[in-house]
Amino acid sequence: MSVMQVGVIGVIAAVLAIQLKGGKAEYGIYVCMAAGVILFSFIVDRLGIFIRTIEEITSYINLDPGYLSIMFKMIGITYIAEFSSGICKDAGYQTLAGQIEIFAKLTILTLGLPVLAALLETIREFLS
């Protein structure tokens, strides 16, 4: 699926949601959620290509697979949080969307702490 096709799907869904918002607002939200799920499936497809490429690159270099796993988890958390937050914002729940974003940021920070500790250990060994 090309970017043009995804853009057209998004615009059609937005226009349809605006049209439905006049009569029953919840139908507009449902249309946006359905379009979001469809677009998210395309994102997952592209992420599969990205993951395969990164795994191929790491086969050429000596890299701890744990770091790669952490990176994939961070990417997944980012996409899921952005998707969930966007749906909450579309539904008019900005506060809930903000809480999802904060939780995702803290989760990513927590996942990154072991990498930071390993980096600091490497620097300490290099300086000793």
Side-chain angles (χ1 to χ4, degrees):
M1 174 102 7
S2 73
V3 174
M4 186 65 132
Q5 291 169 324
V6 168
V8 168
I9 290 171
V11 170
I12 289 172
V15 169
L16 186 60
I18 289 170
Q19 291 296 321
L20 293 173
K21 211 172 204 176
K24 290 206 169 203
E26 63 269 9
Y27 291 145
I29 294 170
Y30 297 149
V31 168
C32 285
M33 286 176 51
V37 169
I38 291 168
L39 296 177
F40 190 73
S41 70
F42 296 136
I43 291 170
V44 169
D45 182 49
R46 293 291 167 111
L47 278 176
I49 295 168
F50 173 75
I51 289 171
R52 285 191 298 276
T53 305
I54 293 295
E55 287 174 344
E56 184 178 330
I57 290 170
T58 57
S59 70
Y60 299 130
I61 59 175
N62 186 17
L63 182 65
D64 184 10
Y67 296 136
L68 190 61
S69 172
I70 290 172
M71 184 179 75
F72 289 149
K73 287 178 185 177
M74 288 178 173
I75 291 169
I77 290 168
T78 302
Y79 279 114
I80 291 170
E82 187 69 27
F83 180 73
S84 305
S85 173
I87 288 175
C88 290
K89 286 178 183 176
D90 287 346
Y93 296 102
Q94 284 78 13
T95 305
L96 186 58
Q99 291 173 345
I100 290 171
E101 291 171 358
I102 290 171
F103 179 77
K105 290 173 186 175
L106 289 173
T107 303
I108 290 171
L109 178 66
T110 303
L111 280 173
L113 288 177
V115 177
L116 178 62
L119 176 64
L120 292 175
E121 180 65 29
T122 302
I123 292 172
R124 187 177 66 107
E125 289 175 4
F126 181 71
L127 294 175
S128 298

